[in-house]
Amino acid sequence: MTPDPASPPEASISLLDENWSINPYAMYQDGYAAVYGLDTALSAEVTDGVTAGSRLFYYFVDARLPSVGDSSNFSVIPFVDFKPFTLQLGYARFDDGNALNKPEWMRDHLLHTVSDQTISYGFPGAEILFGQIRYALDAFWMHYSYVDYDYDFAASRGDGTVEHEVQFGYAFTKSFDVNLRLFDVSYDNVDNKDYQKVEALVRFKF
C-alpha cells in the first residue's frame, strides 16, 4: 500500500467551544479517483473526570477507472474517557460490488483501534465491529483491541476475520520508550491463513 502522495486540502472548523469539530476534505487524481469526505467529532464532560462523545467519518469515492463503481463508506465511533481508562466502540461499513472503496493513497482512517499489514480494510461489502479499552497512567500504557470483519466472500480470505491485539508501552524518559505488541488474526471459511505476531519496538530520540 503506497502512502498518501500529499496531505489533502482540508478546512477544519471548531464549534461549541471546541467540543464539536468538522473537518471536510477533498482529494483528486486524474484518471483514478476523487474523494470527498467529512470527519466530525463531538464530546462533552458528563461528570467530573468523565468525558463522552463520538466520532463520525464519511467519504465518497468518485471512481475514474473503467468498469469500477463509486462508493460511500463510513464509520461511527462512540467513546468514553474515565481516567486512567478510555473505552471506544465502533461500526464501519464499506460498499459492496465492484466499487472502489479505498484508493491506494488514502489512509486507513475509518478504524481507530487496530491495524496490520494484511487487514481486510475496504473489502467489498465489509461490515466491521470493533472496540478498544486503554489504560494509561504516568509513563505506562496498555490496550486491548478487538475487530470483527464480515465481508463478501473472497477465495484468498474467506468471508471474515477476527483480530485481537494487545499492546504495552513504557516511557523511561522523554527520549527513550519501549513498546510490545501481540497480534492474532483468524479467518473464516479459508484454510492456512490464520497468523500470530509478536513485535517489539525500542526508540531513542536524539
Side-chain angles (χ1 to χ4, degrees):
M1 187 176 299
T2 56
D4 297 1
S7 297
E10 299 180 353
S12 297
I13 304 170
S14 294
L15 304 173
L16 303 179
D17 296 326
E18 299 184 350
N19 289 331
W20 180 16
S21 65
I22 303 174
N23 182 36
Y25 60 89
M27 295 177 280
Y28 176 79
Q29 181 178 340
D30 186 39
Y32 182 44
V35 176
Y36 309 100
L38 183 66
D39 298 342
T40 64
L42 175 66
S43 65
E45 188 173 16
V46 180
T47 61
D48 187 28
V50 179
T51 300
S54 184
R55 293 182 289 271
L56 175 63
F57 303 96
Y58 169 83
Y59 66 82
F60 174 78
V61 180
D62 180 9
R64 307 298 176 92
L65 296 171
S67 303
V68 176
D70 303 336
S71 69
S72 293
N73 312 283
F74 75 91
S75 70
V76 57
I77 308 173
F79 65 89
V80 58
D81 188 356
F82 49 107
K83 299 297 185 187
F85 293 96
T86 300
L87 173 66
Q88 60 177 342
L89 303 172
Y91 172 80
R93 178 73 168 85
F94 292 89
D95 262 347
D96 55 7
N98 189 31
L100 180 60
N101 289 338
K102 180 188 176 300
E104 289 296 320
W105 34 254
M106 190 167 185
R107 62 192 175 95
D108 303 343
H109 78 295
L110 294 193
L111 309 184
H112 276 224
T113 57
V114 65
S115 64
D116 197 54
Q117 292 90 332
T118 57
I119 62 172
S120 305
Y121 188 97
F123 263 39
E127 288 188 277
I128 306 149
L129 297 173
F130 53 96
Q132 182 186 86
I133 184 165
R134 178 183 175 91
Y135 174 85
L137 184 63
D138 299 326
F140 175 77
W141 65 268
M142 63 177 294
H143 73 229
Y144 166 73
S145 299
Y146 171 85
V147 186
D148 188 347
Y149 289 89
D150 183 12
Y151 46 78
D152 292 350
F153 182 80
S156 62
R157 293 197 184 182
D159 56 14
T161 65
V162 174
E163 306 182 3
H164 302 270
E165 180 197 65
V166 178
Q167 282 203 56
F168 304 89
Y170 190 84
F172 293 94
T173 68
K174 291 183 179 180
S175 301
F176 177 44
D177 67 275
V178 296
N179 179 212
L180 177 66
R181 180 178 187 240
L182 311 175
F183 197 75
D184 178 86
V185 178
S186 58
Y187 285 79
D188 297 333
N189 296 324
V190 65
D191 295 328
N192 302 318
K193 291 291 292 184
D194 298 357
Y195 68 95
Q196 297 78 39
K197 295 172 64 174
V198 178
E199 297 176 342
L201 175 67
V202 179
R203 295 185 297 185
F204 187 82
K205 304 173 185 177
F206 293 95

